[in-house]
Structures are given as C-alpha cells and as structure tokens.
Amino acid sequence: MLIAGNWKMNTDLSDGRTLAENIASGIAEAGSRFDSVEFAVCPPFVHLQAVGTALSDAPVSLGAQDVHREDEGAYTSDVSAPMLTSVGCTYVIVGHSERRQYYDETDGEVNQKARQAREHGLVPIVCVGETLDQRKGGDAEAVVTAQLDGALDGVAVNTADDLVVAYEPVWAIGTGESASPTQAQDMHAVIRTHLRDRYGSEGADDIPLLYGGSMKPHNAADLLSKPDVDGGLIGSASLEAESFLGIAERAATVLG
Ligand code: PEP
C-alpha cells in the first residue's frame, strides 16, 4: 500500500524540512506498525534536496510534482528528469488535474512526460479523473480510459514497479468531498481492466492504483479497504505529519 503526499505549492523551506522531519520521526516511533506501508512525498521542486536530506534515514521515497519532456535546453523555469534523479527522486506526478486545468496540459503532453520519466528510471504517478460535469453526464469512465490511453501510449512498463496510476476525480480534489468507497472501487476496477488489456494481467494486477481526492484519516480506512484501491495520493492532509501518518495508520490497519 503506497501512501503518497502531494505538497503542491505549499511550505517554505523551513516548514518543508520540519514536515519531513516530523514524518520521519512519526514513522520511526510507529516501529513495525508501518512495515507494510510504503511512503512517498512530493514537495515543491526547490525543496526536494532539503526534504530528501531530512528523510535520508526514513523509509520515504522522494517524488516531484512534474517533469519536462526534454532532458535539457532553453525551457525557462522547467525541470528535467535528469535533474530529478540527481536529487534522489524515485517518483514524479504527471498529468495532475491542476496541470491539465491551469496549464492546458493535454494527454499528449502527459504521455511525453510519462515516457521521459520511464526513460530516466523515474516512476510516473499518472493522474486521471473526470470533472463533475463529466460524471453527471455519464462520461466518467470514457474520460478516464481516454486519459489512460493518451498517457500510457508507448510507456515502457516492464514490471508493476514501473508505474503508478492515481484516480483523482476533479470534483473531489481539495473540496472535502471524497468519492465514496464504491465510486472509487468502481473506477479503479475499470482502470485495472484497462491496464490488464494493455500490459497483461500478470503485471497489471500489481500496478498500484491510488485514490486521490479529499482522503483524510476519517475516510481513509473505507477507501483503502476496497480491493482495487492500493493506496492514496494525498493533498491537503499530507501537509501535517499527524494527518498524513493518520492515513498511514488506517492503511496499516486495513492491511492487518
Ligand atoms: C491532489 O490534488 O492530489 C489531492 C488529492 O488533493 P486533496 O487531498 O487536497 O483533495
């Protein structure tokens, strides 16, 4: 079970370091209770190195929130995959709905980023999810599967460790209104079937499918106990060690 935090554009250097230290000490205090839980945090680019250092003795992987499609070049403000690997990143989020919404990121661009991540040994956390209008219009599955097809075309996935998919209904992100466990499971089952068709059941069954969208300690257990929900991508609740680790506690309980 993977519990990943997306810090978005939050925390200054001091806050980010403190948050990372608190997460590290909370995991250490939990001892073997979290043995079955995998952790990742995705801080802002400028804090990756400091957060990586603060987490160097903790079982927490480092991830970035975006990546450029090219290795290097005249792309002012962008950050490349080799830069991310050089500061210790394992994961990179691609196709987050906020990138799609505010920067008009297309499935084609998400695909370039996912391919670039894989070429450099990063694990893309590919985000997909429908808007409220799309859900109300009965198009949620079609939207999500089209996003998956767009993002994954030609992405080299040799083992289930090479990819993470996050289902993040746009209407649930930052709204406090999570998808119900049934809604999450239903869409995760669609995604799983789609991944089986693409990669074969052997690999696809183990690709982690994260749910994201207002996951909090109070609703995490019900979401995480669904068979195709393999973890969470957590936004606002990842900005406090207590709530982030509270979700991890629920994950550990679900796993028994
Ligand atoms: C996210 O944006 O990835 C997310 C899940 O945010 P929140 O948990 O705040 O809804």
Side-chain angles (χ1 to χ4, degrees):
M1 183 107 34
L2 174 61
I3 300 299
N6 173 12
W7 295 4
K8 309 191 185 187
M9 196 177 72
N10 294 295
T11 68
D12 63 12
L13 180 58
S14 160
D15 294 340
R17 204 181 263 141
T18 302
L19 176 54
E21 286 165 357
N22 289 342
I23 290 170
S25 57
I27 294 173
E29 275 163 31
S32 60
R33 240 180 20 257
F34 286 159
D35 277 357
S36 51
V37 182
E38 288 177 52
F39 290 94
V41 293
C42 304
F45 288 132
V46 287
H47 305 151
L48 280 169
Q49 209 169 356
V51 168
T53 302
L55 293 171
S56 54
D57 292 330
V60 182
S61 300
L62 197 60
Q65 299 174 20
D66 193 21
V67 66
H68 195 269
R69 65 177 187 279
E70 300 286 348
D71 285 2
E72 60 185 4
Y75 299 102
T76 299
S77 90
D78 279 320
V79 174
S80 71
M83 292 175 187
L84 298 181
T85 56
S86 75
V87 295
C89 284
T90 302
Y91 294 100
V92 60
I93 296 171
V94 297
H96 191 281
S97 63
E98 286 152 14
R99 301 289 317 169
R100 296 178 189 260
Q101 189 179 349
Y102 302 133
Y103 302 93
D104 296 325
E105 212 166 277
T106 63
D107 286 334
E109 286 165 322
V110 176
N111 178 247
Q112 288 176 318
K113 292 177 179 194
R115 287 180 188 224
Q116 176 71 349
R118 284 307 309 133
E119 272 168 34
H120 289 275
L122 289 161
V123 180
I125 301 176
V126 174
C127 298
V128 294
E130 80 287 355
T131 64
L132 190 56
D133 281 351
Q134 288 164 336
R135 177 161 281 266
K136 282 184 176 161
D139 298 326
E141 281 186 22
V143 167
V144 166
T145 53
Q147 287 175 338
L148 272 182
D149 282 338
L152 297 179
D153 188 35
V155 175
V157 174
N158 300 317
T159 76
D161 295 335
D162 292 344
L163 175 68
V164 175
V165 175
Y167 169 54
E168 299 209 305
V170 178
W171 48 272
I173 293 180
T175 60
E177 188 201 341
S178 157
S180 71
T182 304
Q183 285 172 320
Q185 168 57 29
D186 287 352
M187 191 61 84
H188 282 226
V190 168
I191 295 170
R192 183 81 71 202
T193 302
H194 216 69
L195 292 177
R196 276 190 197 130
D197 291 345
R198 179 174 285 277
Y199 298 117
S201 54
E202 228 169 87
D205 285 356
D206 293 328
I207 291 173
L209 305 187
L210 309 186
Y211 168 77
S214 299
M215 185 184 276
K216 314 278 180 202
H218 75 84
N219 61 19
D222 287 343
L223 289 160
L224 294 171
S225 57
K226 291 295 178 188
D228 286 302
V229 179
D230 307 314
L233 181 57
I234 296 133
S236 53
S238 71
L239 295 173
E240 299 282 346
E242 197 183 339
S243 45
F244 186 60
L245 296 177
I247 292 172
E249 288 280 2
R250 305 316 186 274
T253 306
V254 166
L255 290 166

